[in-house]
């Protein structure tokens, strides 16, 4: 009976990202594991979460491999439900069908007021992807040389970084502008499937293994898909992230003044920053890779601020309304407990980036991090960020970054001898 009701309920939801509760009594939602599936124009993108209930209300824990996202902004009204994702401006709106099923739409407001993706959620299902083959699954763990949209104008390269344990597959794809964060899925005979949902990104990857090569397709939300191919290659490398963004000719320093989200201003030439090592993070609250970098930068700020490190974020937002943009940044700061100042530099666009940061040749990726020594000179510009989803790549970068900062912090201030 429920199966026949779902299409009708989905139509009700998709008229808009709002629903009206009915007057009938509502059963409490079942606690425990749930499976949600987004409908990407006929392709099912699944992910798992655990639902709980206590005196404060409902809360859930969403799983993407090693990543766990806690969500506690959940409102039930009659038989309607709204689940607001943290950090990013998106939410689920749905209708309950008993205590173990929800049907509705995911609304991503950063992509526009009409961006909606249908979903169905069911209690008691702890399998992300159901196994379809009885054949033994090969191990796909290791590093792969990946080419997206090969042979086209949109072609780009990536590192496939996978960890395989029996049928379970986790890992990510690292590109020159960042990584695809925490992916989770299965190896099923000669097929592999990976997915991720974090409130901003909805990623689905599929591929088949043919003659030691992976031949696949990638979906991002409902508007983008592309082919990809991969071969095992432990020696494959992308360009150095420190070589992709640079200062324009004639510049060896950076200078700007932007308003902070708390009403002040911030500049690398502030008197309080003179003679200190500085990191300038170019970011956006809408960017999941920026979330990963922010967590690391806040850790470094806490560890090294007393020794002379300053960190500041320059944010470019997707909300054209400055009030909404600043509100999103404050939510970002509060959710992550960011201790360093965040400034707002306007809308995220190539034109505005160039206008606000005229000393850079371009902003290739969010995030981009500029390292400034005690003399005020730029020593390094890092494009993109490889987060914890990349495993050893992240571990090595974090370790080397600490060594680099400690070296700069130990350098004497220009004109003064080291103690």
């Amino acid at each position: 009976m429920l199966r026949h009701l779902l299409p009708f309920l989905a139509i009700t939801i998709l008229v808009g990202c709002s629903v009206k509760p009915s007057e009938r009594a509502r059963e409490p939602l079942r606690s425990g594991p749930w499976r949600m599936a987004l409908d990407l124009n006929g392709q099912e993108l699944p992910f798992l979460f655990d639902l709980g209930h206590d005196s404060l209300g409902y809360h859930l824990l969403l799983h993407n491999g090693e990543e766990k996202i806690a969500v506690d902004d959940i409102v039930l009204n009659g038989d309607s439900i709204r689940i607001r994702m943290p950090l990013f401006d998106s939410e689920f709106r749905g209708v309950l069908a008993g205590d173990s099923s929800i049907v509705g739409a995911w609304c991503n407001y950063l992509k526009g007021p009409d961006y909606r993706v249908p979903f169905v959620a069911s209690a008691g299902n702890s399998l992300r992807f159901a196994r379809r083959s009885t054949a033994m699954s090969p191990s796909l763990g290791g590093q792969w040389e990946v080419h997206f949209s090969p042979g086209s104008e949109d072609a780009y390269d990536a590192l496939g970084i996978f960890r395989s344990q029996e049928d379970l597959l986790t890992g990510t794809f690292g590109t020159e502008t960042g990584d695809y964060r925490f992916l989770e899925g299965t190896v099923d005979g000669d097929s592999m499937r990976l997915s991720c949902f974090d409130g901003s990104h909805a990623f689905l990857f599929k591929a088949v293994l043919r003659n030691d090569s992976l031949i696949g397709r990638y979906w991002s939300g409902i508007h983008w898909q592309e082919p990809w191919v991969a071969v095992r290659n432990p020696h494959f490398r992308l360009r150095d992230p420190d070589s992709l963004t640079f200062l324009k000719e004639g510049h060896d320093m950076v200078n700007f003044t932007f308003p902070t989200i708390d009403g002040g201003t911030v500049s690398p030439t502030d008197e309080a920053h003179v003679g200190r090592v500085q990191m300038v993070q170019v970011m956006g609250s809408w960017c999941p890779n920026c979330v990963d970098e922010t967590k690391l930068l806040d850790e470094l700020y806490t560890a090294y601020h007393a020794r002379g490190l300053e960190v500041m974020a320059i944010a470019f937002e997707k909300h054209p309304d400055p009030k909404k943009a600043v509100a999103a940044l404050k939510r970002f700061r509060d959710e992550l407990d960011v201790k360093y100042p965040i400034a707002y530099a306007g809308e995220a666009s190539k034109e505005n980036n160039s206008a606000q940061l005229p000393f850079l040749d371009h902003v290739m990726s969010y995030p981009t991090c500029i390292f400034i020594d005690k003399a005020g000179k730029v020593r390094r510009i890092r494009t993109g960020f490889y987060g914890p989803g990349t495993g050893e790549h992240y571990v090595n970068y974090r370790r080397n970054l600490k060594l680099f900062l400690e070296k700069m912090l130990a350098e004497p201030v220009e004109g003064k001898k080291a103690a």
Side-chain angles (χ1 to χ4, degrees), residues 305-359:
H305 177 64
R307 293 174 55 183
L309 176 66
E310 298 290 344
V311 181
M312 64 192 78
I314 309 303
F316 293 87
E317 292 297 292
K318 289 194 172 181
H319 278 300
D321 181 348
K323 290 184 178 179
K324 289 186 177 180
V326 170
L329 286 167
K330 288 181 177 179
R331 185 169 64 248
F332 179 94
R333 177 200 59 196
D334 294 344
E335 287 280 351
L336 298 179
D337 191 24
V338 182
K339 300 173 187 64
Y340 55 83
I342 300 176
Y344 172 56
E347 197 169 356
S349 68
K350 290 182 179 179
E351 295 75 17
N352 190 45
N353 290 342
S354 297
Q356 301 297 339
L357 305 175
F359 45 84

Side-chain angles (χ1 to χ4, degrees), residues 256-260 264-268 270 273 311-314 341-343:
F256 55 76
T257 301
F258 292 117
T260 67
T265 61
V266 67
S267 170
D270 287 341
H273 296 167
V311 181
M312 64 192 78
I314 309 303
I342 300 176

